[in-house]
Amino acid sequence: MRPRTTDWSLALATGAAFATGLWTLTTGQVEGWWVFALHGATGYLTFLLLIPKLVRVRNRLLPGIRSPRAWAGLATTALALLTLVCGIAWVSGGGIVVLGYNLLNWHILFGLVLTVLLSAHMVVRAKPLRTEDRSRRQALRAGAFALGAALIWPLQERLIGTLGLPGAQRRFTGSREVASFSGNGFPIVSWMADRPAPLDVATWRLRVTGLVSESFAVSHDELDARDELTATLDCTGGFYTTQHWRGTRVGALLDRAGVLPEARWVRFVSVTGYRWSLPLEQARETLIAVRVGGEPLSHGHGAPARLVAPGERGFVWVKWLALIDVRAEPDSAQLVAINVSGFVASDDVGG
């Protein structure tokens, strides 16, 4: 391909890999497997497009190694390769942990930094496509790269299975099974600064409020009912675990409160200010769990009570619940809230 066509294709491929990577973090239903396949294919497309790019610039990159521009180019290339290597190694079953982070964590971190650097580079140095860069021949060549990348992903999956690599046992999300049906034995993870002090079960209450006929508060003992659910918690940190959960269905709490006709969403709020919203009908099928595997929830797993949301990734399973808020719309600030929760006090859980 022509230089400008290659550069723009590489930028678009990297952007697509970044966007689909973010998408995978919110995809927990098996029907969404294709999002992970698309992410893998766009990653391989980035790699394939790097080859003609590096061939083209090698003669001027290495001789000018002392210039800041050359160092920026080398750093960006190294980040791209590190992102790809960490991702491929993770799905193949690599278990390396560096500074407390596994290969999936490093894949995400390198991908974020790469996207920022490449975006800055395109803003400063990108040249517009000319007519000859947008020709049918150029489009066909770009399409050939995309087709090659799309074929590599299924070949990778088949190769991992044929070789019997540990990655063959992973879930469609890339997560690996850890401590299923072990009660509180699965890993304890928290988002950002969410590390509250243990809560007093005797005095703790879960409030149900919002667009309801009657707000009320419920105790831990009242939630310790016979509703049971077997569900898989799939953490974006790279593991999944299937457990037996026990508590009270959210639908039962909503029926007791009397949901108003205009209600469409339910927001679940932690004592830390962390929160997430689910559509009303989906929320009805979730569980407020106080036990796992017959054991009372441990503090690290969200005691006195946590949300169990089948089909959602682990970050939706709000821990240390304090509030169920019925709303007409989702919480538009929840993406900000989950990144500052634990750092600042929240007005949502007071009262």
Side-chain angles (χ1 to χ4, degrees):
M1 288 190 294
R2 298 180 63 85
R4 295 190 188 187
T5 308
T6 301
D7 291 346
W8 278 97
S9 297
L10 186 55
L12 290 173
T14 304
F18 175 72
T20 54
L22 290 179
W23 197 355
T24 64
L25 299 180
T26 64
T27 303
Q29 299 282 358
V30 176
E31 294 80 4
W33 67 269
W34 60 272
V35 178
F36 297 86
L38 186 59
H39 178 62
T42 53
Y44 280 120
L45 178 58
T46 301
F47 172 73
L48 293 178
L49 290 169
L50 270 176
I51 297 173
K53 171 72 173 181
L54 292 176
V55 169
R56 189 180 85 232
V57 303
R58 72 185 188 283
N59 290 331
R60 67 174 184 268
L61 187 63
L62 294 179
I65 194 65
R66 294 183 180 179
S67 73
R69 184 178 297 177
W71 275 109
L74 285 172
T76 304
T77 302
L79 271 173
L81 292 175
L82 282 170
T83 303
L84 291 164
V85 168
C86 287
I88 294 170
W90 172 260
V91 300
S92 299
I96 299 174
V97 175
V98 179
L99 300 177
Y101 295 97
N102 62 32
L103 290 171
L104 178 61
N105 301 146
W106 285 110
H107 171 72
I108 295 172
L109 178 60
F110 288 143
L112 285 170
V113 177
L114 171 64
T115 303
V116 171
L117 289 180
L118 187 58
S119 298
H121 174 77
M122 292 298 291
V123 169
V124 174
R125 297 203 40 146
K127 298 176 181 179
L129 292 172
R130 299 162 298 191
T131 302
E132 57 267 33
D133 300 318
R134 302 193 302 267
S135 67
R136 181 181 179 185
R137 177 175 295 180
Q138 292 299 299
L140 289 173
R141 288 177 176 173
F145 274 95
L147 178 60
L151 292 174
I152 291 176
W153 186 83
L155 289 176
Q156 163 205 278
E157 295 299 296
R158 182 175 291 273
L159 181 62
I160 290 173
T162 300
L163 296 178
L165 298 177
Q169 304 303 316
R170 72 188 191 282
R171 200 166 183 248
F172 74 97
T173 58
S175 298
R176 302 170 193 168
E177 186 174 23
V178 176
S180 287
F181 306 110
S182 64
N184 286 295
F186 62 96
I188 294 174
V189 293
S190 293
W191 184 267
M192 303 293 283
D194 274 3
R195 291 173 178 81
L199 302 173
D200 185 350
V201 174
T203 60
W204 170 89
R205 295 294 184 270
L206 174 64
R207 294 187 299 126
V208 181
T209 188
L211 296 176
V212 296
S213 299
E214 182 181 356
S215 298
F216 64 90
V218 62
S219 69
H220 175 273
D221 289 344
E222 290 176 284
L223 289 169
D224 195 1
R226 296 185 177 275
D227 291 339
E228 295 185 351
L229 189 62
T230 300
T232 298
L233 188 159
D234 193 328
C235 179
T236 52
F239 78 88
Y240 77 90
T241 186
T242 303
Q243 304 290 343
H244 297 307
W245 309 88
R246 197 176 90 182
T248 298
R249 294 269 184 175
V250 171
L253 296 174
L254 297 181
D255 289 341
R256 174 179 167 182
V259 176
L260 298 181
E262 59 268 32
R264 296 292 182 273
W265 291 81
V266 180
R267 182 177 64 156
F268 300 89
V269 185
S270 170
V271 297
T272 67
Y274 190 103
R275 56 188 188 259
W276 201 259
S277 308
L278 293 175
L280 177 60
E281 293 308 312
Q282 181 184 2
R284 283 187 170 277
E285 301 304 316
T286 61
L287 183 79
I288 304 301
V290 297
R291 293 182 181 271
V292 56
E295 305 171 358
L297 275 177
S298 68
H299 171 65
H301 289 314
R306 75 175 300 163
L307 178 67
V308 173
E312 297 290 343
R313 300 301 291 274
F315 73 92
V316 176
W317 295 37
V318 181
K319 298 197 290 187
W320 308 295
L321 275 171
L323 175 69
I324 296 177
D325 181 28
V326 183
R327 301 165 58 91
E329 69 288 317
D331 186 340
S332 60
Q334 63 191 21
L335 286 175
V336 175
I338 65 174
N339 288 292
V340 299
S341 63
F343 291 109
V344 296
S346 173
D347 295 332
D348 288 309
V349 296

